[in-house]
Amino acid sequence: MTIVRQPTRAGVRDAAAKIAAILPPTPLFVHEINGVQVAFKAESLQPVGAFKLRGAWHRLTALDDAQRAKGVVAFSSGNHAQGVAWAAKRLGMPATIVMPGDAPKAKRDGTLALGAEVVAYDRMTEDRIAIASALAEARGATLVPSFDDPWIIEGQGSVGIEARRQMEAIGLGEPTHVVVPCGGGGLASGIALGLSEAKITVVEPEGWDDMRRSLEASWIEPVGPNPPPTACDALQTPEVSPLTFEVLARRDAKGVAVSEAEVRAAQHWAASVLHLVIEPGGAVGLAALLTGKVAAEAGMLVILSGGNVDIEAYAAAIASEPAEASAFPALSET
């Protein structure tokens, strides 16, 4: 895929201004963990239930009238799909989304409800990028990747700018350490650009922690063969892009992996303590914090990146408190 330009901190600031012009900031929750006040950014409360509309809006508003008339094609398991569909609908553009056949029903239905066309593919045997690229070429449409795009990265980074203003407004100061879910790395790299002084820790599900391994190796390491099943559908990226990897590597970002049980325990905690519905992929950063894989510290910001769940699967995940929750530190509401 040809990279037109590099994402920049100025681009993140521009994206933040665009988002602020059309949407209110998502809520910031503050809770005490081990005597430290930690901020939680609830991107699960975006109109499409995830942060993805930030990058989609920044990308689609950069298209000229001729490009908008021909529409866009994207590929996604659901959150990027809904973000692109939402932005396209608001701009009066056609949108086609290539989605895996096993995508959560809630995400597929949400994408269709926003007026997008959905083209299904087999996640294990077909190449979504090839399918989307062929569709875009045939239709003269613009291909909108989920993370391998400078505008997308800048747009996702707007959450960091927004959270910094909120933290400063309530006396927490600017973020010094951001814990963020990672699939392809668009959100993490955008935040790394927007908050250039903050430490960045990316969190992934076990077996899909290719960004962690890539950062440790100093070169891109794809997900290995036969990766384990995971409920974190939003984070099932087979290989990160040079664009996101290079941003995070330059910032000396670190990575950790969490188990499926730890993710379920974090979802349970978010529901019972923050009163938020968080999808598995959106809860991995929280899981890393609550299990102590990332230590709480002053100035910490944890991104709760999405809340799009199939209600039956979500109900099962939080039906009973997992054993891992017993190891969580005592928490007090602030």
Side-chain angles (χ1 to χ4, degrees), residues 8-92:
T8 66
R9 188 179 186 189
V12 175
R13 290 195 297 264
D14 289 344
K18 284 184 182 180
I19 295 297
I22 63 166
L23 289 172
T26 51
L28 190 78
F29 292 78
V30 180
H31 279 266
E32 186 174 293
I33 297 182
N34 285 349
V36 178
Q37 289 194 341
V38 175
F40 300 90
K41 183 67 165 158
E43 286 295 284
S44 55
L45 296 179
Q46 287 284 9
V48 298
F51 71 96
K52 290 286 191 175
L53 58 72
R54 294 177 178 274
W57 185 251
H58 188 47
R59 183 68 187 97
L60 269 58
T61 52
L63 300 177
D64 61 31
D65 290 342
Q67 291 171 314
R68 293 185 188 185
K70 294 181 178 180
V72 293
V73 177
F75 45 89
S76 166
S77 68
N79 286 338
H80 179 61
Q82 292 179 90
V84 170
W86 182 89
K89 180 178 181 180
R90 190 176 179 110
L91 294 168

Side-chain angles (χ1 to χ4, degrees), residues 101-244:
D102 62 352
K105 183 176 183 296
K107 295 181 178 181
R108 176 185 170 84
D109 290 349
T111 303
L112 290 168
L114 288 164
E117 175 190 358
V118 171
V119 175
Y121 78 99
D122 187 313
R123 190 194 297 269
M124 302 308 295
T125 64
E126 294 183 289
D127 185 336
R128 65 179 186 172
I129 298 178
I131 295 169
S133 297
L135 283 171
E137 183 176 359
R139 300 176 182 185
T142 299
L143 186 66
V144 182
S146 55
F147 57 87
D148 192 16
D149 180 279
W151 286 273
I152 293 293
I153 291 170
E154 291 168 349
Q156 317 305 28
S158 66
V159 68
I161 303 294
E162 189 175 287
R164 182 182 64 197
R165 292 171 181 158
Q166 292 172 303
M167 290 177 68
E168 290 175 338
I170 59 175
L172 292 181
E174 66 179 66
T176 58
H177 187 174
V178 186
V179 183
V180 55
C182 182
L187 177 61
S189 58
I191 292 173
L193 287 170
L195 301 176
S196 59
E197 302 302 318
K199 292 188 293 185
I200 305 293
T201 297
V202 301
V203 187
E204 300 161 291
E206 290 179 350
W208 292 88
D209 50 336
D210 52 318
M211 183 65 86
R212 177 192 65 80
R213 293 187 297 107
S214 297
L215 291 169
E216 290 178 357
S218 297
W219 58 75
I220 293 176
E221 292 272 7
V223 170
N226 303 313
T230 177
C232 303
D233 64 282
L235 306 182
Q236 289 181 281
T237 304
E239 185 173 341
V240 303
S241 79
L243 202 58
T244 57

